[in-house]
Amino acid sequence: MSISESPRLASILTLSLVLMSPSIVAAADRCAADLQKEYGKYYACALKAQSRATQNGSGPDLRRCRASLEKKISRLTQKYGPDCVVENPLAIVDIADECVQEITDITTGIEPAPGPDDVSVCSNGMTASNVLARPRLAAKTPPEVEAMSLTPLGNGRARFDVTFAETRAGQCLPTKIPVLSGDRREIELVSENGRRTFSSEISIESKEWQRYSRELAKASTASGPDSVPVFDGRVQRDRGVDPTGPLTFLSDEAIARPVALPLKPAIAPGIVDPERTLMVKNVLVVEDPVRTFDPCGPGGNPMGTPMGPWTFGYLMEEMVNQPSSGILPADFVLEWMDQWTTVQSANGQTIPARVAMQDFIDRWLDESAVNGAPPGQLDLSIAPFRLMAIVNRVDLRENASYGGGNCGEGRFVFGLLNTDSCQPVPFTVIFEYGVNMNTCSSCKAYASDWLDLQNHPMGSPNYLDGLEALTHVFTDRNTNPGKPNGSSINQIRTNENALNPLWELREFNLENSGLLSHVTAKQNPIQALNNTTALESWVSTELTSICAATHTVPDTFAGSPFLAAHVPYNAGDFFDFPGSTASIQNLCARFELSLNSCSGCHARETNTFFTHVGAAGTRQLGQPAALSGFLTGAAGPNPVADPVGVNAPRTFNDLARRQIDLWAAANVPCLPAMAFQPLRGVH
């Protein structure tokens, strides 16, 4: 395809002029001039990579180009001082990467060449790739909605208006935006005169709008004034607000004027029972005799059903999917556990062995042999793991309004047992599954099913059957055919000091080999970088994104490993850097970086003693797992004093935040759900 044949491709290529333009730098000084040169070199490198990729019929690999630019930016910062680069210097590169990828998609035929409405010119004259043309990208970082309203028109019709906030870098809005209202029912939002407000005429007689109004009315009646906590990210503000009232105009269309729709409905958390819908840890569930198994029941005797649907063995057997992978489930688990017994490496770092794991492996092998297993083979039906909780993380869903997205995660939390003493040890294993639903209506139905569980008594047959049906959605084989082994597992995380006095977090991914492999701990810089100028240098390039909690900790920075391969940590750990108290923005960045790291969230930043579920990662038989103050909002841990000494105490109450979110996920109609901003955390 020639450039002349694709108006969009021609528009994209004009970005090279932007990269060389003085408008991307604060001042035309020596640093700015050098930075412009480096951007130009990057774009040239990226286009060469794109050319090679087109010849190979693949996507461009821009890692070498980006690593070189990061190194040059670091040198410029060292040469001219930290004030040299005030803005995020890689933001414009993110746009370039989008454009280069689109060039590849168009020229290789992966995507058809879009029409002229798919690309527009930003107010500053910069032509850029439209994020809305990429559903998967829009699902993660959708345009921010500033306001929404409905104007009744009579006969069950209304005009829906949505105003977008000032666009982020690269998110230039087209004049028409197709959004999904329900399963692939597309509505076209149209903007007049290039403004940020888009409109469409819709029906408000649908069941979802009627349910929304009905549920809002019930929630507001059941809640008192000032009963709704307000959250800023994961932090709860001290003051509450009144609950959102019902949408009265749905029954009184004489109100022919715009009525504002809430971007985030204010719902009192008490409307949702977290113990039945979000953090299921009641012993009637985690010790259910039909679905769970515990090798250390009363008197040290096994109890439950081996390989029941909520057992460690069943989950591993489904994950390996032997008919598809050809891997024996027992070998799959042994291969995973063996990774503690030898030195591992990831992202240029060495992970020391924790050889005490061999004791647990040998004990399990001995018990397996007694149970009739072949020599050297684990019997998964007697796995030494005790179920502690089943967790609904629909709050981690993406935005499905633009055609991509998922419905968050479902999790199982287990604790390791010493079967010699039949005592739990401080070692948690968390199975974190993706929920493979990418339409708003399917995710709404899934969230509604979770919410419906609170209508059944805890432990009743209806409750247990309903919960089991929900867990099969993500635990079973072939629930996500596009991922290794057809499994929906996103990652497995462990947190323990049973093998070594120093607590350690590890993360594992299911690879294309069909096996679990040790990988980096996402969003956690290498612990040795804490309180260093190297960490400060990276933070200075990402201040805005870190404060917004939209950052991604990179594998490398300035040519050196940056993302941690594992996380050894202590109870008082948190992330800090020189100059963290120099400005409000620096304080904000320090807090969000630390909170979203594994070690900060599990230690001093939230006043947590290593684990959020289970007392030091354990649960005694017949007792529910304890929860951290970060989850419950309990006094004592809360409010949490800022660890660097500034007067900024913070209260966490994450289950309350999730309660409000679950209600919204189940009840907000798909069209106004386009205002949903995904949570960019890993916890």
Side-chain angles (χ1 to χ4, degrees):
M1 177 183 294
S2 68
I3 292 178
S4 61
E5 292 172 326
S6 173
R8 188 183 196 196
L9 187 56
S11 298
I12 291 171
L13 287 173
T14 61
L15 182 62
S16 60
L17 298 177
V18 177
L19 290 168
M20 302 293 260
S21 168
S23 64
I24 65 171
V25 290
D29 56 14
R30 291 174 57 196
C31 173
D34 287 350
L35 191 58
Q36 289 173 13
K37 292 178 182 177
E38 298 306 331
Y39 281 134
K41 292 176 182 177
Y42 174 85
Y43 196 68
C45 176
L47 286 179
K48 288 182 180 179
Q50 179 271 328
S51 178
R52 290 192 298 269
T54 301
Q55 295 174 7
N56 298 330
S58 61
D61 184 351
L62 306 178
R63 289 176 295 181
R64 183 179 63 82
C65 304
R66 198 177 185 95
S68 176
L69 179 61
E70 288 176 352
K71 185 182 296 185
K72 296 296 179 57
I73 289 174
S74 176
R75 290 176 181 173
L76 289 177
T77 303
Q78 295 172 6
K79 180 178 179 181
Y80 294 107
D83 293 334
C84 169
V85 183
V86 178
E87 301 293 337
N88 176 2
L90 296 179
I92 196 70
V93 175
D94 293 335
I95 303 170
D97 290 353
E98 282 291 310
C99 293
V100 170
Q101 181 62 54
E102 287 198 25
I103 294 170
T104 305
D105 291 349
I106 293 171
T107 55
T108 58
I110 296 174
E111 294 181 355
D117 283 338
D118 290 322
V119 173
S120 65
V121 178
C122 295
S123 58
N124 64 0
M126 182 178 70
T127 300
S129 167
N130 178 11
V131 71
L132 298 177
R134 294 185 168 280
R136 283 181 296 179
L137 182 61
K140 295 178 184 294
T141 56
E144 184 178 353
V145 172
E146 189 174 276
M148 295 186 298
S149 67
L150 277 179
T151 303
L153 302 175
N155 299 318
R157 306 291 293 176
R159 190 184 75 239
F160 174 76
D161 293 305
V162 56
T163 301
F164 292 96
E166 291 288 347
T167 57
R168 300 169 181 164
Q171 290 190 337
C172 302
L173 298 173
T175 56
K176 298 178 181 179
I177 299 177
V179 297
L180 300 178
S181 178
D183 276 341
R184 305 301 178 189
R185 288 186 289 115
E186 189 172 286
I187 292 177
E188 189 174 68
L189 300 174
V190 180
S191 173
E192 296 181 3
N193 303 320
R195 295 174 180 172
R196 291 185 289 118
T197 297
F198 291 71
S199 304
S200 182
E201 185 176 321
I202 65 170
S203 169
I204 52 176
E205 290 186 330
S206 64
K207 290 181 179 179
E208 67 171 355
W209 279 101
Q210 299 299 325
R211 169 177 170 156
Y212 187 36
S213 181
R214 184 173 63 252
E215 294 301 320
L216 276 173
K218 287 167 55 178
S220 61
T221 301
S223 307
D226 298 328
S227 61
V228 181
V230 178
F231 287 87
D232 181 6
R234 308 296 280 269
V235 178
Q236 179 184 330
R237 296 178 182 171
D238 292 336
R239 294 174 56 189
V241 298
D242 293 343
T244 302
L247 302 177
T248 55
F249 64 83
L250 289 179
S251 57
D252 182 9
E253 292 190 349
I255 308 175
R257 60 177 182 272
V259 177
L261 294 173
L263 301 183
K264 293 182 179 180
I267 303 300
I271 300 299
V272 176
D273 180 357
E275 295 230 350
R276 281 183 283 179
T277 65
L278 290 167
M279 180 67 67
V280 185
K281 61 186 183 68
N282 191 286
V283 293
L284 294 175
V285 173
V286 297
E287 294 181 5
D288 172 60
V290 176
R291 298 167 178 84
T292 73
F293 175 79
D294 194 318
C296 291
N301 298 311
M303 71 175 192
T305 302
M307 303 302 286
W310 295 339
T311 63
F312 181 93
Y314 175 87
L315 298 183
M316 283 295 195
E317 187 175 73
E318 292 299 295
M319 192 185 305
V320 68
N321 193 1
Q322 185 179 0
S324 174
S325 68
I327 301 171
L328 191 69
D331 294 342
F332 178 77
V333 176
L334 185 58
E335 179 80 19
W336 170 65
M337 295 182 73
D338 274 340
Q339 293 180 62
W340 274 273
T341 66
T342 59
V343 174
Q344 302 291 311
S345 63
N347 197 28
Q349 303 155 61
T350 297
I351 303 108
R354 292 197 159 201
V355 295
M357 175 60 89
Q358 192 62 53
D359 295 338
F360 290 91
I361 295 173
D362 291 343
R363 189 179 298 117
W364 190 358
L365 286 171
D366 291 343
E367 293 165 354
S368 299
V370 171
N371 215 39
Q377 184 171 304
L378 297 173
D379 183 349
L380 299 191
S381 72
I382 59 170
F385 291 91
R386 173 175 289 164
L387 180 61
M388 294 203 289
I390 299 173
V391 188
N392 168 19
R393 293 305 306 272
V394 72
D395 64 302
L396 296 179
R397 69 192 179 282
E398 295 175 346
N399 190 318
S401 297
Y402 306 101
N406 60 47
C407 202
E409 288 188 346
R411 298 180 174 181
F412 277 75
V413 185
F414 291 92
L416 181 63
L417 296 168
N418 181 332
T419 51
D420 279 349
S421 62
C422 260
Q423 289 298 312
V425 298
F427 191 121
T428 59
V429 181
I430 308 179
F431 292 70
E432 300 179 350
Y433 296 91
V435 180
N436 186 28
M437 296 177 179
N438 63 0
T439 64
C440 172
S441 56
S442 61
C443 189
K444 272 172 58 67
Y446 173 77
S448 295
D449 287 343
W450 275 102
L451 193 58
D452 184 60
L453 290 177
Q454 68 183 0
N455 296 323
H456 305 292
M458 175 62 76
S460 67
N462 284 342
Y463 180 87
L464 293 171
D465 289 346
L467 180 59
E468 181 184 341
L470 283 165
T471 60
H472 281 304
V473 168
F474 51 84
T475 63
D476 288 4
R477 66 187 67 183
N478 299 322
T479 51
N480 195 331
K483 296 177 69 173
N485 297 358
S487 171
S488 289
I489 193 71
N490 282 345
Q491 58 273 325
I492 288 179
R493 301 181 200 272
T494 63
N495 188 11
E496 57 82 22
N497 82 331
L499 310 180
N500 184 297
L502 181 63
W503 280 82
E504 182 190 58
L505 295 131
R506 294 194 182 198
E507 183 172 334
F508 301 85
N509 284 172
L510 189 59
E511 304 288 356
N512 289 330
S513 65
L515 297 172
L516 288 165
S517 178
H518 192 295
V519 296
T520 51
K522 304 306 178 287
Q523 297 295 75
N524 204 107
I526 297 171
Q527 294 296 103
L529 293 172
N530 199 9
N531 289 301
T532 66
T533 55
L535 181 62
E536 182 181 32
S537 294
W538 174 73
V539 170
S540 69
T541 69
E542 296 284 349
L543 275 176
T544 301
S545 64
I546 297 174
C547 278
T550 60
H551 65 286
T552 298
V553 177
D555 288 346
T556 62
F557 178 70
S560 298
F562 197 79
L563 185 64
H566 68 134
V567 183
Y569 70 114
N570 294 293
D573 281 2
F574 62 92
F575 273 100
D576 195 11
F577 53 86
S580 64
T581 62
S583 69
I584 292 177
Q585 194 173 34
N586 281 15
L587 286 169
C588 168
R590 188 217 64 77
F591 166 68
E592 292 292 351
L593 171 65
S594 187
L595 177 66
N596 286 286
S597 70
C598 301
S599 55
C601 185
H602 284 262
R604 175 62 180 85
E605 204 63 59
T606 62
N607 269 357
T608 296
F609 189 72
F610 298 112
T611 59
H612 291 297
V613 178
T618 65
R619 179 180 75 82
Q620 295 296 328
L621 188 68
Q623 299 294 322
L627 299 180
S628 70
F630 171 80
L631 291 172
T632 65
N638 289 291
V640 180
D642 191 284
V644 298
V646 298
N647 185 22
R650 301 178 179 93
T651 294
F652 299 100
N653 191 357
D654 212 56
L655 278 177
R657 181 191 62 79
R658 299 181 200 179
Q659 288 166 261
I660 297 170
D661 178 83
L662 177 59
W663 188 96
N667 290 297
V668 175
C670 286
L671 193 55
M674 67 188 299
F676 174 71
Q677 286 291 320
L679 184 70
R680 290 293 301 273
V682 297
H683 300 95

